Amino acid sequence: MKKWVSLILAAALVTGLTAGCGNKSASSGSDDAADASKPVKFSISLTTSGNAYAEGSKDINNEKWVKEVEKRANVDLDIRLIPLKDFDAKMAVMFAGGDIPDVVQNVGGATDKSMAGSVQAGVFMPLDDLLKEYAPNLMKAVPKEAWDEVSYKGKIYGVPTWLSNPSRRATYIRTDLLEKTGLPAPQTMDDFLNVLRAFKKLGLSAPYQMRENFKYADIVFGAYDALGYQFTEMNGQVVPKFFNAENMEKALTVYKTMYDEGLIQKDFATIQAPQYSENIEAGNAGMWTANAASLLDFRTKIGAAVPGAKVDIIPSPLGDNGQKGYGLYSSVNTSLYINSKVSKEKAARIIQMFEWMQTPEAKNFYSFGIEGEDYTVKDGKIDYKLPEGKAAQDEAGFRSLLRWVGDGTINRERTELLPGGQDVLKALDDTLAKEGVGGIGFVPDLESFSQFPDLASKRPDQAPKLIIDHMVKMIYGKEPISDFPKVIEEYKQKGGDEIVKEATERYNNKDGIIDQQSRK
């Protein structure tokens, strides 16, 4: 029996046991939910998202910001926090034990691994009718792709924090150095290499900053539509994109040129995240890849190290097929599910709270705090001072985390007030809206990935280990790039044929498929 089906049956068994002994959290009674004048009581499990303020709280339900949410939304919350680092394991324990709250937050969509088949087993209620009646603005705001990720068999089960723009990663450049070269911003792969060569002449140790496993360093693979963690249709099958040996060889040739000419560090294959960030922030890199939301942070840190430095986001360079950018993210960050044992009256009130989270009042509260205490309004404009120090920033971050439903691309309200914030929004709305590489993905992951871990595509941004090992050897010159077809055959023989078979079956059956189209 397929592992995924086993998970569904296990979850169904849990549901049966829970029904037999009585759920300790979700209630079938109305709990005064029908009386709109009274706060509606409900329990909810939430990820901490690694927020230090949340994880350090001794009594989360008595925190100031929780109490303020309760007052504004007319609710009475019983919040149960799940540390992000233990999220999957803690979710599994929760489902196995049957102590399932009224509302459960997941990191991801309806059929992700952490949901343990619970949606398929009927643990949560479909929400289509409730959303149409009580949350019309929310229904319009959420992109179709996000609704698809929180749906199962055509019905909506989750309410997401979504990404209106799943193109998040951007190409950064030191504009001050580009000006010294006299060259324009690169538009093609040839331009890209020429700018890096000019940066090297200026004495940069990392004209382009690389990182191990090509994480945040897949600018060339994106340009050639050869991202190793994405799937595509080819000759009637759904295969990893690296099955296109021609595209892979083109991309690898560019990376090898960068290595041979000293346009990337010689130890690029072992550079980890801390060293990657430190080198950029010290002013040693000319171009690099990072989330667009980090623009102002880079400007601050690099400017402190190199007075006069200018940092900007530019369109990513084009490959010869007109493709550019990086892999598109999932359209869902987190999502909320309502226990099927919750009364319809209570479920309606919960949905109304999610609708309230889309109002200007709620957006201002989550972004800025309490008017008169944390911000003021002058001539219709927000006057808000950003929190200083890690503790204050963590607290503000916690307040934002309490907005469980909304566009998670970026906090526009707060970004608009920052010096340079319009540059960040322009990068997202103009530059990144026109680039990004789509592909076929699977939620939950292919079961065959667990059978062949070295062949598993490490979504969302890393090719399988087997493929990375060969790519690195080819860039270092230890294997000829022309041998890449042999790598594909090795992948097939070591279990790749089973992965392709399952991927094709899932795709043909429309079974847990995410199919994102590339932007050009």
Side-chain angles (χ1 to χ4, degrees), residues 277-294:
S277 299
E278 289 166 6
N279 208 42
I280 294 171
E281 292 164 8
N284 298 324
M287 293 181 70
W288 64 94
T289 300
N291 283 357
S294 300

Side-chain angles (χ1 to χ4, degrees), residues 22-223:
N23 192 303
K24 293 185 282 184
S25 301
S27 60
S28 57
S30 66
D31 289 336
D32 294 323
D35 186 349
S37 66
K38 296 181 179 180
V40 61
K41 300 178 181 179
F42 66 93
S43 55
I44 180 169
S45 61
L46 300 171
T47 173
T48 63
S49 294
N51 179 270
Y53 184 90
E55 294 183 349
S57 175
K58 294 181 180 179
D59 185 359
I60 199 69
N61 288 299
N62 279 316
E63 291 288 349
K64 167 186 175 180
W65 299 114
V66 173
K67 292 298 183 184
E68 190 67 23
V69 168
E70 290 180 328
K71 180 176 73 174
R72 291 169 181 259
N74 196 25
V75 295
D76 183 358
L77 301 173
D78 173 15
I79 296 176
R80 306 169 187 189
L81 292 178
I82 302 178
L84 182 62
K85 63 183 179 65
D86 301 322
F87 188 77
D88 284 356
K90 295 290 186 183
M91 286 281 280
V93 170
M94 180 183 72
F95 286 123
D99 187 9
I100 304 170
D102 297 319
V103 182
V104 171
Q105 184 186 59
N106 183 43
V107 179
T111 56
D112 280 356
K113 177 183 177 182
S114 51
M115 291 296 283
S118 56
V119 169
Q120 299 93 315
V123 174
F124 300 103
M125 66 174 65
L127 303 174
D128 303 71
D129 293 340
L130 289 168
L131 287 164
K132 289 174 184 176
E133 183 172 357
Y134 297 106
N137 294 320
L138 181 60
M139 285 290 286
K140 293 176 184 177
V142 178
K144 179 184 181 299
E145 294 81 5
W147 283 131
D148 288 346
E149 286 193 49
V150 295
S151 297
Y152 174 65
K153 289 193 173 180
K155 291 200 173 286
I156 296 172
Y157 283 85
V159 181
T161 289
W162 67 90
L163 295 181
S164 58
N165 183 356
S167 182
R168 304 290 298 280
R169 296 185 182 182
T171 298
Y172 281 78
I173 195 166
R174 281 280 302 279
T175 309
D176 57 313
L177 298 180
L178 182 66
E179 291 170 352
K180 287 183 179 180
T181 69
L183 296 172
Q187 296 184 17
T188 66
M189 272 292 119
D190 286 340
D191 295 340
F192 172 66
L193 288 173
N194 286 332
V195 167
L196 297 185
R197 289 170 180 134
F199 282 166
K200 182 184 178 184
K201 290 179 180 178
L202 293 177
L204 285 182
S205 60
Y208 179 77
Q209 179 63 55
M210 288 288 289
R211 185 171 156 188
E212 67 174 348
N213 298 323
F214 301 92
K215 290 174 70 69
Y216 288 91
D218 48 10
I219 186 170
V220 182
F221 288 124

Side-chain angles (χ1 to χ4, degrees), residues 129-427:
D129 293 340
L130 289 168
L131 287 164
K132 289 174 184 176
E133 183 172 357
Y134 297 106
N137 294 320
L138 181 60
M139 285 290 286
K140 293 176 184 177
V142 178
K144 179 184 181 299
E145 294 81 5
W147 283 131
D148 288 346
E149 286 193 49
V150 295
S151 297
Y152 174 65
K153 289 193 173 180
K155 291 200 173 286
I156 296 172
Y157 283 85
V159 181
T161 289
W162 67 90
L163 295 181
S164 58
N165 183 356
S167 182
R168 304 290 298 280
R169 296 185 182 182
T171 298
Y172 281 78
I173 195 166
R174 281 280 302 279
T175 309
D176 57 313
L177 298 180
L178 182 66
E179 291 170 352
K180 287 183 179 180
T181 69
L183 296 172
Q187 296 184 17
T188 66
M189 272 292 119
D190 286 340
D191 295 340
F192 172 66
L193 288 173
N194 286 332
V195 167
L196 297 185
R197 289 170 180 134
F199 282 166
K200 182 184 178 184
K201 290 179 180 178
L202 293 177
L204 285 182
S205 60
Y208 179 77
Q209 179 63 55
M210 288 288 289
R211 185 171 156 188
E212 67 174 348
N213 298 323
F214 301 92
K215 290 174 70 69
Y216 288 91
D218 48 10
I219 186 170
V220 182
F221 288 124
Y224 289 104
D225 200 14
L227 293 171
Y229 49 86
Q230 292 183 333
F231 281 68
T232 189
E233 286 187 271
M234 182 184 292
N235 301 323
Q237 294 182 309
V238 174
V239 300
K241 283 189 174 180
F242 55 75
F243 270 42
N244 188 322
E246 181 181 359
N247 285 353
M248 287 296 299
E249 289 174 15
K250 288 179 180 178
L252 288 168
T253 298
V254 173
Y255 280 114
K256 189 172 191 312
T257 298
M258 293 164 68
Y259 175 79
D260 290 344
E261 296 186 18
L263 308 180
I264 56 177
Q265 297 103 313
K266 295 300 182 184
D267 59 346
F268 77 90
T270 58
I271 294 174
Q272 298 182 2
Q275 184 183 352
Y276 163 88
S277 299
E278 289 166 6
N279 208 42
I280 294 171
E281 292 164 8
N284 298 324
M287 293 181 70
W288 64 94
T289 300
N291 283 357
S294 300
L295 175 61
L296 302 184
D297 191 44
F298 280 125
R299 284 180 174 175
T300 298
K301 292 178 178 177
I302 296 172
V306 185
K310 298 178 185 178
V311 178
D312 288 296
I313 288 172
I314 60 172
S316 301
L318 285 163
D320 55 13
N321 65 347
Q323 188 66 67
K324 62 180 177 179
Y326 310 89
L328 295 174
Y329 278 51
S330 162
S331 295
V332 172
N333 275 350
T334 60
S335 49
L336 299 167
Y337 301 83
I338 300 179
N339 197 311
S340 60
K341 295 183 181 301
V342 168
S343 69
K344 294 299 181 184
E345 295 87 354
K346 179 185 283 191
R349 292 283 301 278
I350 293 171
I351 293 293
Q352 287 175 319
M353 181 188 184
F354 300 162
E355 177 82 340
W356 168 78
M357 288 179 174
Q358 314 316 306
T359 64
E361 175 207 349
K363 290 179 181 179
N364 282 346
F365 164 70
Y366 289 117
S367 297
F368 309 117
I370 301 170
E371 184 176 356
E373 293 184 21
D374 304 293
Y375 73 97
T376 57
V377 180
K378 296 180 180 179
D379 300 324
K381 295 183 178 180
I382 299 288
D383 184 8
Y384 172 71
K385 185 179 180 181
L386 288 169
E388 297 181 358
K390 186 176 186 304
Q393 291 167 359
D394 287 339
E395 182 176 351
F398 170 69
R399 184 181 65 240
S400 297
L401 284 178
L402 293 174
R403 189 185 181 206
W404 310 316
V405 178
D407 185 351
T409 304
I410 197 167
N411 188 311
R412 286 183 171 271
E413 292 77 19
R414 202 155 52 213
T415 303
E416 287 174 350
L417 302 181
L418 299 173
Q422 292 298 331
D423 291 344
V424 179
L425 297 179
K426 186 175 186 297

Side-chain angles (χ1 to χ4, degrees), residues 477-498:
K478 295 180 179 179
E479 293 179 2
I481 292 174
S482 59
D483 273 359
F484 201 82
K486 296 179 181 179
V487 176
I488 297 172
E489 289 304 313
E490 180 185 354
Y491 175 88
K492 290 180 179 180
Q493 293 170 8
K494 289 185 174 179
D497 280 337
E498 293 189 42

